[in-house]
Amino acid sequence: MNLKFIALAVSLFAAASSAVCGQSLHKNDNPVYLDENQPVEKRIEDALARMTIEEKVRILHAQSKFSSAGVPRLGIPELWTTDGPHGIRPEVLWDKWRQAGWTNDSCVAFPALTCLAATWSEEMSALYGKSIGEEARFREKDVLLGPGVNIYRTPLNGRNFEYMGEDPYLASRMAVPYIKEVQKNGVAVCVKHYALNNQESLRHEYDAVVDDRALHEIYLPAFKSAVQEGGAWSIMASYNLYKGQHACHNQYLLNDILKRDWGFDGVVISDWGGTHDTEQAIANGLDLEFGTGTNGLYGDSKNAYDAYHLALPYLERLRDGRASEEVLNDKVRRVLRLIFRTAMRTDKPFGSLCSPEHYEAARRIAGEGIVLLKNDNSVLPLDPETVGKILVVGENAVKMMTVGGGSSSLKVQREITPLEGIRAAVGKDVEVVYERGYVGDITGNYNGVVTGQDLSEERSADQLLKDACAAAADADAVVFIGGLNKSAHQDCENSDRYGLELPYTQDAVIEALAAVNPNLSVVIVSGNAVAMPWVGKVNSIVQAWYCGSQAGTALADVIFGKVNPSGKLPMTFPVRLQDNGAHALGAYDPEDRSVEYKEGIFVGYRWAQKYKVHPLFAFGHGLSYTSYGYGKAESDRKSISSADSLVVSIPVTNTGDVAGKEVVQLYIGDNKSSVERPVMELKGFRKVYLEPGQTEKVSFTVRPDMLKFYDASKGDWVLEKGRFTIYIGASSEDIRSKLEFDVK
Ligand code: BGC
């Protein structure tokens, strides 16, 4: 039986006999706040009226690392939060980050959100949300700390793997189904990190200086969709500053934009330790404070939670009249609303953990997110019937990747590494040999969760290279599996990467292998773009992301053609760091406390196209084992007014020999505008399944709101008349058909 509900029943019984503030609760009362037939807002008002001022303040801050207190006297339950966003974090101690030592808190790790974004499939996003929501529910969590939707501004951001790429439209579309499905479990999402947390260097200290247009066109849309379309019940305010105020208590971001303009009725939760100022925390929109340093984040102290900004310091101000009860009640209503939506709901499902369905979901999502970047001479897929000996090289073939990276680190029930996945896929007739090739990072622990892998290596770098090359000369096919990992300054929270290059000696190993065996495929496991100086020497390249529990199975599915790759890049892979706007303009400095987003709206492909910088691999790029032919795009009308829409259609045919899924992408550009606009911007996409020879007519509706830009002088979105171009293609750089229309 659900422990929380036993607790609820016990405390209700106690409450029934005690005199309470506001109203008493007698034995025969049927209090409105407990009556699920009553409208939620009425129940909130009823509960609010019964609460003392101390109780009100008490639900606005943490009582442990991941929980807040609820109202025990009234049987209003605690709120339990959990990371997020790729699986359900193992239990830590009440006051410490150390493991609690539970044995029932292992989970399924789903692919990292970059991989989910790379599926370009709302269906996969819904499957992800459903599955992780069920795991959260089974573990009795009320708030899942995710998804993350910060925009990929620089490939150095250590946390990009937790986000959904560089494009606001793609991130919006991919976030919404995840949110809706999680919340169907009676578990709230907590969309993070709002806002402008686009780097980890000095994450608590930098002030993001961004113009209003870039703020509204690039950095906010995914949050706005999460709130308005996804109906997110909570949002996590980020560590950084904006306009001189920390985002956790920021008048502009929280009160003005989120709560007033977007009508957000949920809870603003501080990122752990992101609250710094009591007056601002009270006045500037924070509702629920977590992780502030006094609680043992960096040391232990007694009754530390009372010292939180939204605890005794707030109470003192309420008592002496410096703080108003009106503002307090708004925060309390929000937190109660969240509790009613989650912890206190009795009609929610029970969830499930580590089920075969969840493993299958992880495998499917990974299979649809893995991106085939290059495949000259059809090196892939490998045919287990004809390939006698496969050499696998590289540390990431054997290293577990679910441990590390910061708060998203997990304790998995199982994780199939790439080497294990490949071995399991081929059976006995194929010989699979392994060579390390290089040594990267042999550690494997996070907050007391250890992988238990022994990755120590005695051989010198030279010897490792020689051994790998000798084995490569003797193999029918070579698969190099490297990339980044989850250690500091790689793909990891709280630090950024030092550069775009692959770490360790990987470039040299890849070059040497390519010289020995042309049947080489390079698999990059990372959440970020990496430089590929060897790109011209390698026939086949796969971007495999961090795929969680099913990493090896899903990769093997693609390598052997069981799954025809259909992932597309959710971010631009630049040739050099300087090909990215922020870096070209010197507008990223890990030691700078004022980070000026000088590139404005020209992020990712918007920058590459404006300056005609040829990317290594373009936004939206991804190959398949089949080929797709695009016909001519046609629209049902040549012009629209601000009140109409038009439908554009294009026939897409599978012109190859195997079935596959193609992501048909629609971009729109304004031919002439009073302000500078990107050449084109993503405004639609559809993933279609096609049998060999099959054609489908893919249609998109173009609405006037898709054509607007944000006019900073008006503080509003503006539609200008004139001619626009629709571009439809297989990537932002592979446009297959265009047509123009007028806005009259
Ligand atoms: C991270 C959040 C995370 C929180 C709780 C913070 O350091 O930035 O994303 O949810 O810790 O673990």
Side-chain angles (χ1 to χ4, degrees):
M1 172 137 169
N2 184 326
L3 284 179
K4 276 191 206 160
F5 283 102
I6 296 175
L8 173 66
V10 169
S11 48
L12 273 178
F13 179 75
S17 54
S18 70
V20 299
C21 140
Q23 293 176 24
S24 316
L25 186 57
H26 296 296
K27 257 189 186 155
N28 296 329
D29 275 356
N30 182 19
V32 172
Y33 77 97
L34 287 178
D35 184 351
E36 290 192 281
N37 297 318
Q38 299 285 345
V40 167
E41 294 307 312
K42 208 171 156 194
R43 295 173 65 198
I44 292 170
E45 290 311 314
D46 183 58
L48 189 74
R50 296 170 192 272
M51 290 167 71
T52 64
I53 201 156
E54 290 78 12
E55 286 170 335
K56 288 181 181 178
V57 170
R58 198 164 167 218
I59 64 167
L60 303 182
H61 57 268
Q63 62 167 357
S64 75
K65 280 268 173 254
F66 283 102
S67 72
S68 63
V71 192
R73 180 179 61 84
L74 295 178
I76 294 177
E78 298 172 337
L79 261 185
W80 278 87
T81 70
T82 179
D83 286 301
H86 307 140
I88 310 307
R89 184 175 176 153
E91 304 296 333
V92 297
L93 293 174
W94 190 261
D95 270 333
K96 296 189 178 62
W97 290 113
R98 273 212 321 273
Q99 294 303 297
W102 293 20
T103 53
N104 59 352
D105 57 349
S106 302
C107 67
V108 172
F110 297 94
L113 292 188
T114 38
C115 178
L116 175 62
T119 68
W120 294 58
S121 164
E122 290 168 86
E123 186 195 344
M124 288 302 111
S125 171
L127 179 64
Y128 197 125
K130 176 180 188 298
S131 311
I132 196 171
E134 287 169 352
E135 297 239 333
R137 176 67 193 99
F138 188 86
R139 291 267 306 277
E140 306 227 337
K141 303 303 180 192
D142 306 306
V143 181
L144 175 67
L145 304 176
V149 297
N150 295 86
I151 290 294
Y152 189 106
R153 175 177 181 247
T154 157
L156 301 192
N157 179 10
R159 264 190 121 166
N160 278 336
F161 71 99
E162 288 187 62
Y163 303 140
M164 304 225 210
E166 72 185 28
D167 183 78
Y169 180 80
L170 178 65
S172 303
R173 300 282 43 88
M174 295 307 294
V176 169
Y178 177 119
I179 293 168
K180 286 187 171 162
E181 289 298 324
V182 167
Q183 294 192 162
K184 281 184 190 163
N185 290 283
V187 174
V189 296
C190 184
V191 184
K192 60 197 195 183
H193 304 89
Y194 182 75
L196 300 164
N197 189 176
N198 306 104
Q199 65 183 58
E200 289 297 287
S201 297
L202 295 182
R203 64 177 177 164
H204 293 272
E205 290 151 70
Y206 77 85
D207 196 335
V209 183
V210 59
D211 64 72
D212 280 357
R213 189 165 165 214
L215 180 72
H216 287 274
E217 289 191 19
I218 305 292
Y219 296 100
L220 294 185
F223 290 103
K224 186 177 181 185
S225 296
V227 167
Q228 295 191 331
E229 295 173 67
W233 292 334
S234 74
I235 200 162
M236 185 186 290
S238 56
Y239 284 141
N240 53 282
L241 297 91
Y242 170 65
K243 292 196 177 179
Q245 290 176 354
H246 275 99
C248 284
H249 27 78
N250 193 293
Q251 173 65 25
Y252 316 98
L253 293 174
L254 301 180
N255 283 344
D256 296 351
I257 296 175
L258 177 67
K259 291 184 175 176
R260 184 194 65 201
D261 297 349
W262 298 351
F264 177 63
D265 70 356
V267 171
V268 173
I269 300 180
S270 70
D271 197 347
W272 272 230
T275 313
H276 304 274
D277 182 297
T278 305
E279 308 297 341
Q280 288 186 13
I282 294 168
N284 294 351
L286 180 65
D287 303 310
L288 187 46
E289 180 183 358
F290 267 96
T292 303
T294 49
N295 77 334
L297 185 63
Y298 306 112
D300 300 316
S301 80
K302 243 186 165 185
N303 301 329
Y305 299 98
D306 289 345
Y308 270 38
H309 298 279
L310 292 188
L312 289 183
Y314 192 9
L315 199 55
E316 279 162 21
R317 285 165 175 76
L318 286 160
R319 283 181 179 142
D320 68 19
R322 278 178 292 161
S324 81
E325 207 164 338
E326 193 190 332
V327 171
L328 171 73
N329 285 345
D330 176 66
K331 295 182 197 296
V332 175
R333 282 190 185 98
R334 288 171 184 275
V335 175
L336 287 173
R337 195 173 292 125
L338 181 61
I339 295 176
F340 283 128
R341 283 168 164 169
T342 59
M344 207 151 165
R345 250 179 73 183
T346 54
D347 64 342
K348 57 189 175 185
F350 291 99
S352 50
L353 189 69
C354 295
S355 65
E357 288 79 8
H358 293 174
Y359 280 106
E360 183 54 24
R363 182 176 183 165
R364 278 184 68 199
I365 295 161
E368 289 215 16
I370 291 173
V371 183
L372 181 63
L373 293 174
K374 182 175 178 184
N375 197 24
D376 290 357
N377 300 337
S378 297
V379 167
L380 291 177
L382 300 180
D383 182 355
E385 300 293 318
T386 56
V387 71
K389 187 171 185 179
I390 301 173
L391 170 69
V392 176
V393 184
E395 187 168 281
N396 288 356
V398 294
K399 187 173 167 71
M400 278 177 70
M401 289 294 183
T402 53
V403 177
S407 57
S408 61
S409 183
L410 296 170
K411 178 168 123 190
V412 288
Q413 187 193 46
R414 64 174 186 265
E415 173 177 348
I416 313 289
T417 63
L419 184 61
E420 288 165 349
I422 289 170
R423 287 212 159 114
V426 292
K428 285 200 280 304
D429 294 339
V430 182
E431 192 186 350
V432 178
V433 286
Y434 175 69
E435 271 298 335
R436 183 73 170 266
Y438 64 94
V439 175
D441 188 324
I442 65 167
T443 61
N445 57 64
Y446 183 77
N447 273 173
V449 175
V450 291
T451 62
Q453 293 187 295
D454 179 4
L455 296 178
S456 58
E457 172 60 61
E458 298 295 316
R459 289 171 289 176
S460 68
D462 267 2
Q463 192 59 45
L464 285 168
L465 185 60
K466 273 190 201 138
D467 291 351
C469 287
D474 188 37
D476 298 319
V478 181
V479 183
F480 174 90
I481 305 178
L484 306 177
N485 55 44
K486 298 287 192 68
S487 300
H489 299 292
Q490 306 255 345
D491 283 320
C492 186
E493 183 177 340
N494 207 16
S495 64
D496 285 341
R497 295 166 70 200
Y498 293 126
L500 193 63
E501 300 71 34
L502 277 176
Y504 322 122
T505 54
Q506 294 183 81
D507 285 338
V509 177
I510 294 168
E511 298 238 4
L513 292 173
V516 177
N517 194 325
N519 261 347
L520 168 68
S521 310
V522 171
V523 176
I524 299 295
V525 174
S526 73
N528 256 315
V530 299
M532 301 183 189
W534 32 262
V535 66
K537 299 177 185 161
V538 168
N539 283 326
S540 180
I541 306 173
V542 174
Q543 177 61 38
W545 317 112
Y546 296 107
C547 286
S549 287
Q550 293 277 38
T553 325
L555 181 62
D557 286 344
V558 168
I559 285 181
F560 297 107
K562 187 166 177 182
V563 165
N564 186 357
S566 62
K568 301 269 187 174
L569 288 181
M571 75 285 281
T572 304
F573 273 39
V575 175
R576 312 166 307 157
L577 203 50
Q578 288 66 27
D579 294 346
N580 164 287
H583 294 277
L585 298 175
Y588 164 88
D589 177 346
E591 289 176 10
D592 211 342
R593 283 181 168 68
S594 174
V595 180
E596 206 181 325
Y597 289 32
K598 288 186 187 155
E599 71 284 7
I601 58 168
F602 295 100
V603 173
Y605 67 91
R606 290 164 168 80
W607 176 270
Q609 294 187 334
K610 174 173 157 67
Y611 292 104
K612 300 192 169 50
V613 190
H614 192 62
L616 178 63
F617 294 108
F619 174 81
H621 170 75
L623 303 174
S624 162
Y625 296 147
T626 187
S627 49
Y628 301 101
Y630 285 63
K632 201 168 147 13
E634 285 176 350
S635 66
D636 62 347
R637 50 207 299 180
K638 298 252 167 305
S639 66
I640 57 172
S641 75
S642 61
D644 317 310
S645 55
L646 68 77
V647 175
V648 55
S649 308
I650 187 162
V652 180
T653 306
N654 181 343
T655 51
D657 299 332
V658 284
K661 289 183 179 174
E662 170 69 331
V663 179
V664 182
Q665 302 163 37
L666 173 123
Y667 298 83
I668 301 182
D670 188 350
N671 293 11
K672 194 158 168 270
S673 164
S674 64
V675 295
E676 201 182 5
R677 299 193 70 175
V679 174
M680 62 175 83
E681 296 180 275
L682 183 73
K683 295 294 174 184
F685 60 87
R686 271 200 51 211
K687 193 163 196 172
V688 285
Y689 173 82
L690 296 168
E691 295 284 348
Q694 188 185 345
T695 299
E696 185 168 325
K697 199 165 152 199
V698 179
S699 301
F700 300 93
T701 301
V702 175
R703 297 182 315 272
D705 59 276
M706 296 172 168
L707 313 174
K708 293 178 177 176
F709 65 89
Y710 187 84
D711 185 335
S713 66
K714 294 198 173 80
D716 206 355
W717 294 86
V718 168
L719 174 66
E720 279 185 349
K721 294 189 172 136
R723 185 152 292 186
F724 289 76
T725 303
I726 293 174
Y727 304 84
I728 299 182
S731 87
S732 59
E733 291 286 308
D734 184 7
I735 299 304
R736 305 290 181 89
S737 189
K738 290 190 229 182
L739 58 82
E740 297 188 329
F741 68 96
D742 292 309
V743 174
K744 291 201 165 140

